[in-house]
Amino acid sequence: MKASRLAATGAVAASAVVVLSSPAFAHVSVQPEGTAAKGGYAVVDFKVPNERDNASTTKLEVSFPTDHPLASAMPAPIDGWDIKVTKAKLAKPIEMHGEKINEAVSKITWTASGDGIKPGFFQKFPVSVGTLPEDADQLVFKALQTYDNKEVVRWIEETKEGQDEPENPAPVLALSAASDDEHSHGSSGAEEASDDSKDTENTAADTSVSADSSDTTARVLGVVGIVVGALGVAYGVLAGRRRSDA
C-alpha cells in the first residue's frame, strides 16, 4: 500500500511539473525545414502557439536581422492570413548573384482575416530566405504576437551566453556549416553511372558468351547432321548393291 501511494504521489508530482513547466516552451520560435546552411537558401517556419485560454492570436510581426540582412525573403501564402513584406534601404549594399542589392526585407507581418490562432492551437508561417550569411552561426528574429484582446507579447529578448533563457526570448535560427552535398551527389551519380556501365558491359559479355555458345552448338549439330546424312547415303548404296547381286 505504501509503495502504491508513493508511486501515485510521484506520478501526480511529475504531471504537475509538466503542466507548470509547459508554458516555458510555448513561445514563438523559428526552425528550418531540413537544414539552414551558411551561404545557402532555406525554408524556415515561424511557429506561433497560442498561450491564452480566452483570446486568439490575430497578428504576427517578425523583424529581420539588420546585422546580416537577407536579400531574399518570400513568405508562403496562408489561408486566412494577409501578408505584408516591408523592405528597407541598406546602409551598405550586399552582393547577390553578381548584382548589388541596395535594400532587403526588414519585416514581415501576418494579419488574420478570420479567427486567427484559437486557444489550444498553433500556426506555422513558412518563409523562404537567402542567401544565409557565411560569417554567422545564428540569426535572431524579433517578433511581436498580438491577441484579439489587444494584448501584445514582445518576443525580443536575446539569450545571453551562460545565462538562463529570458522570459520572452526572441526566435533564433541556428545555421549549420556549408555542406558538400552537391559534390557528394555528383560523385554518387558518377559511381552509379559507372556501375550501370559495368552492368551493361557484363550483360553484353554474357550475351556474347551465350551467342558464341549457341553458334558452336549449331556448328556441331550441323557437322553431326552431315555425317549422319553421309552414313545414310552410304548405307543406301550398299543395300542397293546387295539387292542387285542377289
Side-chain angles (χ1 to χ4, degrees), residues 2 13 29 33-34 46 55 63 72 84 97 108 136 139 142 148 166 173 204 207 214-215 225 240:
K2 289 183 178 180
S29 60
E33 294 183 4
F46 291 95
S63 295
S72 176
K84 179 182 179 182
H97 301 306
I108 297 181
L139 293 177
K142 297 183 178 182
D148 58 8
L173 176 66
T207 303
S214 299
D215 187 48

PDB file of all heavy atoms in Angstrom, residues 2 13 29 33-34 46 55 63 72 84 97 108 136 139 142 148 166 173 204 207 214-215 225 240:
ATOM      1  N   LYS A   2       1.894   1.237   0.874  1.00  0.00           N
ATOM      2  CA  LYS A   2       2.757   2.412   0.938  1.00  0.00           C
ATOM      3  C   LYS A   2       3.446   2.650  -0.396  1.00  0.00           C
ATOM      4  O   LYS A   2       3.574   3.769  -0.858  1.00  0.00           O
ATOM      5  CB  LYS A   2       3.797   2.232   2.044  1.00  0.00           C
ATOM      6  CG  LYS A   2       3.206   2.302   3.446  1.00  0.00           C
ATOM      7  CD  LYS A   2       4.313   2.191   4.480  1.00  0.00           C
ATOM      8  CE  LYS A   2       3.741   2.301   5.906  1.00  0.00           C
ATOM      9  NZ  LYS A   2       4.810   2.198   6.927  1.00  0.00           N
ATOM     10  N   ALA A  13       3.031  14.378  -8.859  1.00  0.00           N
ATOM     11  CA  ALA A  13       4.070  15.411  -8.820  1.00  0.00           C
ATOM     12  C   ALA A  13       4.693  15.606 -10.185  1.00  0.00           C
ATOM     13  O   ALA A  13       4.942  16.733 -10.623  1.00  0.00           O
ATOM     14  CB  ALA A  13       5.139  15.018  -7.794  1.00  0.00           C
ATOM     15  N   SER A  29       8.958  30.589 -32.057  1.00  0.00           N
ATOM     16  CA  SER A  29      10.266  30.026 -32.393  1.00  0.00           C
ATOM     17  C   SER A  29      10.415  29.945 -33.904  1.00  0.00           C
ATOM     18  O   SER A  29       9.452  30.141 -34.651  1.00  0.00           O
ATOM     19  CB  SER A  29      10.426  28.632 -31.777  1.00  0.00           C
ATOM     20  OG  SER A  29       9.422  27.759 -32.270  1.00  0.00           O
ATOM     21  N   GLU A  33      13.120  23.970 -42.347  1.00  0.00           N
ATOM     22  CA  GLU A  33      12.589  22.725 -42.894  1.00  0.00           C
ATOM     23  C   GLU A  33      13.775  21.985 -43.521  1.00  0.00           C
ATOM     24  O   GLU A  33      14.118  22.207 -44.669  1.00  0.00           O
ATOM     25  CB  GLU A  33      11.499  23.000 -43.927  1.00  0.00           C
ATOM     26  CG  GLU A  33      10.243  23.650 -43.343  1.00  0.00           C
ATOM     27  CD  GLU A  33       9.154  23.838 -44.377  1.00  0.00           C
ATOM     28  OE1 GLU A  33       9.359  23.392 -45.538  1.00  0.00           O
ATOM     29  OE2 GLU A  33       8.112  24.434 -44.059  1.00  0.00           O
ATOM     30  N   GLY A  34      14.387  21.134 -42.754  1.00  0.00           N
ATOM     31  CA  GLY A  34      15.619  20.492 -43.196  1.00  0.00           C
ATOM     32  C   GLY A  34      16.792  21.152 -42.504  1.00  0.00           C
ATOM     33  O   GLY A  34      16.894  21.137 -41.282  1.00  0.00           O
ATOM     34  N   PHE A  46       8.185  29.930 -38.818  1.00  0.00           N
ATOM     35  CA  PHE A  46       7.967  30.633 -37.554  1.00  0.00           C
ATOM     36  C   PHE A  46       6.747  29.974 -36.898  1.00  0.00           C
ATOM     37  O   PHE A  46       5.636  30.062 -37.406  1.00  0.00           O
ATOM     38  CB  PHE A  46       7.735  32.123 -37.789  1.00  0.00           C
ATOM     39  CG  PHE A  46       8.959  32.847 -38.277  1.00  0.00           C
ATOM     40  CD1 PHE A  46       9.177  33.047 -39.632  1.00  0.00           C
ATOM     41  CD2 PHE A  46       9.911  33.310 -37.374  1.00  0.00           C
ATOM     42  CE1 PHE A  46      10.309  33.692 -40.088  1.00  0.00           C
ATOM     43  CE2 PHE A  46      11.053  33.961 -37.822  1.00  0.00           C
ATOM     44  CZ  PHE A  46      11.260  34.150 -39.181  1.00  0.00           C
ATOM     45  N   ALA A  55      -8.309  34.152 -25.587  1.00  0.00           N
ATOM     46  CA  ALA A  55      -8.042  35.087 -26.687  1.00  0.00           C
ATOM     47  C   ALA A  55      -7.359  34.351 -27.833  1.00  0.00           C
ATOM     48  O   ALA A  55      -6.707  33.320 -27.631  1.00  0.00           O
ATOM     49  CB  ALA A  55      -7.182  36.249 -26.205  1.00  0.00           C
ATOM     50  N   SER A  63      10.631  40.877 -37.240  1.00  0.00           N
ATOM     51  CA  SER A  63      11.668  41.784 -37.732  1.00  0.00           C
ATOM     52  C   SER A  63      12.900  40.978 -38.134  1.00  0.00           C
ATOM     53  O   SER A  63      13.347  40.101 -37.383  1.00  0.00           O
ATOM     54  CB  SER A  63      12.045  42.797 -36.647  1.00  0.00           C
ATOM     55  OG  SER A  63      10.947  43.647 -36.350  1.00  0.00           O
ATOM     56  N   SER A  72      16.720  38.103 -49.933  1.00  0.00           N
ATOM     57  CA  SER A  72      15.500  37.428 -50.394  1.00  0.00           C
ATOM     58  C   SER A  72      14.756  36.834 -49.202  1.00  0.00           C
ATOM     59  O   SER A  72      15.337  36.117 -48.389  1.00  0.00           O
ATOM     60  CB  SER A  72      15.848  36.313 -51.390  1.00  0.00           C
ATOM     61  OG  SER A  72      14.696  35.590 -51.768  1.00  0.00           O
ATOM     62  N   LYS A  84       2.147  41.075 -45.397  1.00  0.00           N
ATOM     63  CA  LYS A  84       2.789  42.296 -45.874  1.00  0.00           C
ATOM     64  C   LYS A  84       4.297  42.183 -45.661  1.00  0.00           C
ATOM     65  O   LYS A  84       4.756  41.902 -44.555  1.00  0.00           O
ATOM     66  CB  LYS A  84       2.255  43.525 -45.130  1.00  0.00           C
ATOM     67  CG  LYS A  84       2.910  44.843 -45.582  1.00  0.00           C
ATOM     68  CD  LYS A  84       2.374  46.025 -44.788  1.00  0.00           C
ATOM     69  CE  LYS A  84       3.044  47.319 -45.222  1.00  0.00           C
ATOM     70  NZ  LYS A  84       2.558  48.484 -44.422  1.00  0.00           N
ATOM     71  N   HIS A  97      24.213  37.066 -56.486  1.00  0.00           N
ATOM     72  CA  HIS A  97      24.247  36.604 -57.882  1.00  0.00           C
ATOM     73  C   HIS A  97      24.929  37.627 -58.798  1.00  0.00           C
ATOM     74  O   HIS A  97      24.489  37.869 -59.920  1.00  0.00           O
ATOM     75  CB  HIS A  97      22.832  36.325 -58.389  1.00  0.00           C
ATOM     76  CG  HIS A  97      22.098  35.296 -57.587  1.00  0.00           C
ATOM     77  ND1 HIS A  97      22.583  34.036 -57.335  1.00  0.00           N
ATOM     78  CD2 HIS A  97      20.899  35.370 -56.951  1.00  0.00           C
ATOM     79  CE1 HIS A  97      21.719  33.359 -56.601  1.00  0.00           C
ATOM     80  NE2 HIS A  97      20.689  34.147 -56.341  1.00  0.00           N
ATOM     81  N   ILE A 108       8.206  41.203 -41.838  1.00  0.00           N
ATOM     82  CA  ILE A 108       7.053  40.548 -42.454  1.00  0.00           C
ATOM     83  C   ILE A 108       5.938  40.521 -41.420  1.00  0.00           C
ATOM     84  O   ILE A 108       6.151  40.146 -40.263  1.00  0.00           O
ATOM     85  CB  ILE A 108       7.379  39.127 -42.929  1.00  0.00           C
ATOM     86  CG1 ILE A 108       8.454  39.150 -44.026  1.00  0.00           C
ATOM     87  CG2 ILE A 108       6.126  38.441 -43.477  1.00  0.00           C
ATOM     88  CD1 ILE A 108       8.818  37.777 -44.560  1.00  0.00           C
ATOM     89  N   ALA A 136      28.246  33.922 -39.770  1.00  0.00           N
ATOM     90  CA  ALA A 136      27.430  33.934 -38.553  1.00  0.00           C
ATOM     91  C   ALA A 136      26.973  32.513 -38.241  1.00  0.00           C
ATOM     92  O   ALA A 136      26.810  31.692 -39.144  1.00  0.00           O
ATOM     93  CB  ALA A 136      26.226  34.853 -38.722  1.00  0.00           C
ATOM     94  N   LEU A 139      20.931  33.522 -36.530  1.00  0.00           N
ATOM     95  CA  LEU A 139      20.232  34.761 -36.847  1.00  0.00           C
ATOM     96  C   LEU A 139      19.114  34.950 -35.826  1.00  0.00           C
ATOM     97  O   LEU A 139      18.395  34.005 -35.494  1.00  0.00           O
ATOM     98  CB  LEU A 139      19.644  34.706 -38.261  1.00  0.00           C
ATOM     99  CG  LEU A 139      20.627  34.662 -39.432  1.00  0.00           C
ATOM    100  CD1 LEU A 139      19.868  34.540 -40.755  1.00  0.00           C
ATOM    101  CD2 LEU A 139      21.517  35.898 -39.452  1.00  0.00           C
ATOM    102  N   LYS A 142      13.337  39.107 -34.076  1.00  0.00           N
ATOM    103  CA  LYS A 142      12.473  39.588 -33.002  1.00  0.00           C
ATOM    104  C   LYS A 142      11.028  39.614 -33.488  1.00  0.00           C
ATOM    105  O   LYS A 142      10.756  40.012 -34.629  1.00  0.00           O
ATOM    106  CB  LYS A 142      12.928  40.970 -32.538  1.00  0.00           C
ATOM    107  CG  LYS A 142      14.334  40.944 -31.933  1.00  0.00           C
ATOM    108  CD  LYS A 142      14.758  42.303 -31.406  1.00  0.00           C
ATOM    109  CE  LYS A 142      16.141  42.221 -30.776  1.00  0.00           C
ATOM    110  NZ  LYS A 142      16.578  43.518 -30.201  1.00  0.00           N
ATOM    111  N   ASP A 148      -6.460  39.122 -29.936  1.00  0.00           N
ATOM    112  CA  ASP A 148      -7.658  39.898 -30.282  1.00  0.00           C
ATOM    113  C   ASP A 148      -8.183  40.735 -29.115  1.00  0.00           C
ATOM    114  O   ASP A 148      -9.088  41.544 -29.299  1.00  0.00           O
ATOM    115  CB  ASP A 148      -8.764  38.990 -30.833  1.00  0.00           C
ATOM    116  CG  ASP A 148      -9.160  37.894 -29.856  1.00  0.00           C
ATOM    117  OD1 ASP A 148      -8.698  37.923 -28.698  1.00  0.00           O
ATOM    118  OD2 ASP A 148      -9.947  37.000 -30.256  1.00  0.00           O
ATOM    119  N   PRO A 166      15.633  34.012 -21.211  1.00  0.00           N
ATOM    120  CA  PRO A 166      14.758  35.078 -20.690  1.00  0.00           C
ATOM    121  C   PRO A 166      13.289  34.691 -20.783  1.00  0.00           C
ATOM    122  O   PRO A 166      12.931  33.694 -21.415  1.00  0.00           O
ATOM    123  CB  PRO A 166      15.092  36.275 -21.583  1.00  0.00           C
ATOM    124  CG  PRO A 166      15.604  35.664 -22.845  1.00  0.00           C
ATOM    125  CD  PRO A 166      16.333  34.431 -22.434  1.00  0.00           C
ATOM    126  N   LEU A 173      17.495  31.371 -35.213  1.00  0.00           N
ATOM    127  CA  LEU A 173      17.721  30.364 -36.251  1.00  0.00           C
ATOM    128  C   LEU A 173      19.187  29.960 -36.233  1.00  0.00           C
ATOM    129  O   LEU A 173      20.071  30.772 -36.521  1.00  0.00           O
ATOM    130  CB  LEU A 173      17.350  30.916 -37.627  1.00  0.00           C
ATOM    131  CG  LEU A 173      17.635  29.999 -38.826  1.00  0.00           C
ATOM    132  CD1 LEU A 173      16.754  28.753 -38.774  1.00  0.00           C
ATOM    133  CD2 LEU A 173      17.436  30.738 -40.140  1.00  0.00           C
ATOM    134  N   ALA A 204      26.436  -7.438 -71.816  1.00  0.00           N
ATOM    135  CA  ALA A 204      26.885  -7.636 -73.191  1.00  0.00           C
ATOM    136  C   ALA A 204      27.796  -8.850 -73.284  1.00  0.00           C
ATOM    137  O   ALA A 204      27.717  -9.641 -74.223  1.00  0.00           O
ATOM    138  CB  ALA A 204      27.616  -6.387 -73.689  1.00  0.00           C
ATOM    139  N   THR A 207      25.762 -11.953 -73.026  1.00  0.00           N
ATOM    140  CA  THR A 207      25.063 -12.172 -74.287  1.00  0.00           C
ATOM    141  C   THR A 207      26.004 -12.713 -75.333  1.00  0.00           C
ATOM    142  O   THR A 207      25.657 -13.602 -76.120  1.00  0.00           O
ATOM    143  CB  THR A 207      24.449 -10.858 -74.785  1.00  0.00           C
ATOM    144  OG1 THR A 207      23.590 -10.355 -73.775  1.00  0.00           O
ATOM    145  CG2 THR A 207      23.646 -11.078 -76.056  1.00  0.00           C
ATOM    146  N   SER A 214      25.880 -20.728 -78.495  1.00  0.00           N
ATOM    147  CA  SER A 214      24.818 -21.166 -79.402  1.00  0.00           C
ATOM    148  C   SER A 214      25.371 -21.438 -80.784  1.00  0.00           C
ATOM    149  O   SER A 214      24.981 -22.418 -81.449  1.00  0.00           O
ATOM    150  CB  SER A 214      23.721 -20.096 -79.465  1.00  0.00           C
ATOM    151  OG  SER A 214      23.151 -19.913 -78.184  1.00  0.00           O
ATOM    152  N   ASP A 215      26.312 -20.589 -81.229  1.00  0.00           N
ATOM    153  CA  ASP A 215      26.893 -20.742 -82.562  1.00  0.00           C
ATOM    154  C   ASP A 215      27.698 -22.024 -82.640  1.00  0.00           C
ATOM    155  O   ASP A 215      27.629 -22.769 -83.629  1.00  0.00           O
ATOM    156  CB  ASP A 215      27.772 -19.538 -82.870  1.00  0.00           C
ATOM    157  CG  ASP A 215      28.271 -19.559 -84.305  1.00  0.00           C
ATOM    158  OD1 ASP A 215      27.449 -19.773 -85.225  1.00  0.00           O
ATOM    159  OD2 ASP A 215      29.487 -19.358 -84.499  1.00  0.00           O
ATOM    160  N   GLY A 225      24.939 -33.680 -88.433  1.00  0.00           N
ATOM    161  CA  GLY A 225      23.898 -33.932 -89.433  1.00  0.00           C
ATOM    162  C   GLY A 225      24.499 -34.374 -90.765  1.00  0.00           C
ATOM    163  O   GLY A 225      23.974 -35.276 -91.427  1.00  0.00           O
ATOM    164  N   GLY A 240      21.622 -51.245-102.005  1.00  0.00           N
ATOM    165  CA  GLY A 240      21.207 -51.403-103.381  1.00  0.00           C
ATOM    166  C   GLY A 240      22.094 -52.410-104.113  1.00  0.00           C
ATOM    167  O   GLY A 240      21.627 -53.195-104.942  1.00  0.00           O
TER     168      GLY A 240
END
